[in-house]
Amino acid sequence: SGCTFFSELGAVRMFKDANTAYQRGFYDDAIELYEEILLVIEAGGDSDLSRNLTPAYFYIANSYDSLFKPGGQDAENLHNLNEAIRYYELAIEEIPEPSLQLLSMQYLVAAFGPDKANDPSRTEPLLRDMIVSDPENPDNYFRLAQLYEEAGLFDDAEFIFRIVQEFRRDDPIVYQQLAGFYNRAGEFELTIEALEERARQDPDNPEAYYTISTFYWEKAFRDFRITVDQKKDYVIAGLEASDRALALNDRYVDALIYKNILLRMQA
């Protein structure tokens, strides 16, 4: 046990050196040092010193992750990504600190993303675990909804947005995200409803009303399927939204520009 104790003390000093190399971007050097530290952790069992060294699992994962170059398919590049994934998974299992566990999950989700491993089947259960670990954080719900949307599961994506809406009814960001989802799905009326609710939750923000005016302009200008009367209604609604933005900030240049464009369309 004495030998183990002194090995752990040596690992503490080595951890500082590894962190210095990591911070300077010398990831290969950092990886070598972190690997030696992990050997000490595995030999040390459940001692306090060993537990204090477990963040090395995250840092070695992130070192490999930093060495990965998106788009590269050579063996070394894929090895770096696979090692990053392996060590992020170990970090989630071995690090007792909840905040670092959650950070490891977030990086692991990114590692399974489209520009890296591109494995949404492994992303979905991770996001669900993150929601369980941090149920008040809307970002995890948004990521899960995005995952469903990219898979073409629009009903599931909408359901996730509605869950967030239930516990964050007064958060304008939720309605902004929901509006973006409906807009991508081609649901104009639902998009406007979400944008108007965002404005109601953030009534002193002129950008909220300006955004509504831009959506009405785009619908009136670009959608050739609508009738002249519908186009007129959208132009008027867009002018009303731009006027509300200008009432809050009469020097809001973007709102002035869109009001000018909408007035010309109305004429």
Side-chain angles (χ1 to χ4, degrees), residues 3 13 18 25 29 31 36 40 57 59 68 93 128 162 165 175 179 184 193 197 201 216 236 241 245:
C3 291
R13 291 192 291 270
D29 296 337
I31 286 168
E36 293 188 44
V40 174
Y57 285 105
Y59 288 110
F68 174 76
E93 295 174 4
R128 287 189 171 276
R162 293 302 184 187
Q165 186 181 349
Y175 298 100
R184 290 187 297 274
E193 284 182 18
E197 186 59 38
Q201 299 301 331
Y216 275 122
I236 292 172

Side-chain angles (χ1 to χ4, degrees), residues 83-199:
E83 287 297 276
I85 290 171
R86 182 168 76 90
Y87 281 113
Y88 281 136
E89 290 174 338
L90 285 169
I92 294 166
E93 295 174 4
E94 302 293 340
I95 298 175
E97 184 183 347
S99 61
L100 204 48
Q101 282 183 347
L102 191 58
L103 186 63
S104 300
M105 286 183 179
Q106 291 170 347
Y107 274 95
L108 186 55
V109 166
F112 289 134
D115 59 338
K116 293 185 178 179
N118 193 23
D119 192 349
S121 65
R122 298 178 71 178
T123 306
E124 195 257 2
L126 266 174
L127 287 171
R128 287 189 171 276
D129 288 342
M130 289 166 66
I131 288 171
V132 171
S133 300
D134 191 10
E136 300 300 317
N137 184 354
D139 291 341
N140 297 327
Y141 294 89
F142 294 151
R143 289 180 184 176
L144 184 58
Q146 182 183 2
L147 186 71
Y148 288 145
E149 182 184 348
E150 290 171 351
L153 304 173
F154 294 103
D155 289 343
D156 293 331
E158 183 181 28
F159 178 73
I160 297 299
F161 277 118
R162 293 302 184 187
I163 291 175
V164 185
Q165 186 181 349
E166 283 298 317
F167 71 87
R168 294 184 74 100
R169 286 189 173 277
D170 57 350
D171 187 347
I173 294 175
V174 173
Y175 298 100
Q176 186 174 353
Q177 292 280 347
L178 185 59
F181 165 72
Y182 282 134
N183 185 51
R184 290 187 297 274
E187 297 286 352
F188 178 74
E189 299 300 333
L190 292 175
T191 301
I192 293 297
E193 284 182 18
L195 289 173
E196 289 176 342
E197 186 59 38
R198 176 210 174 188

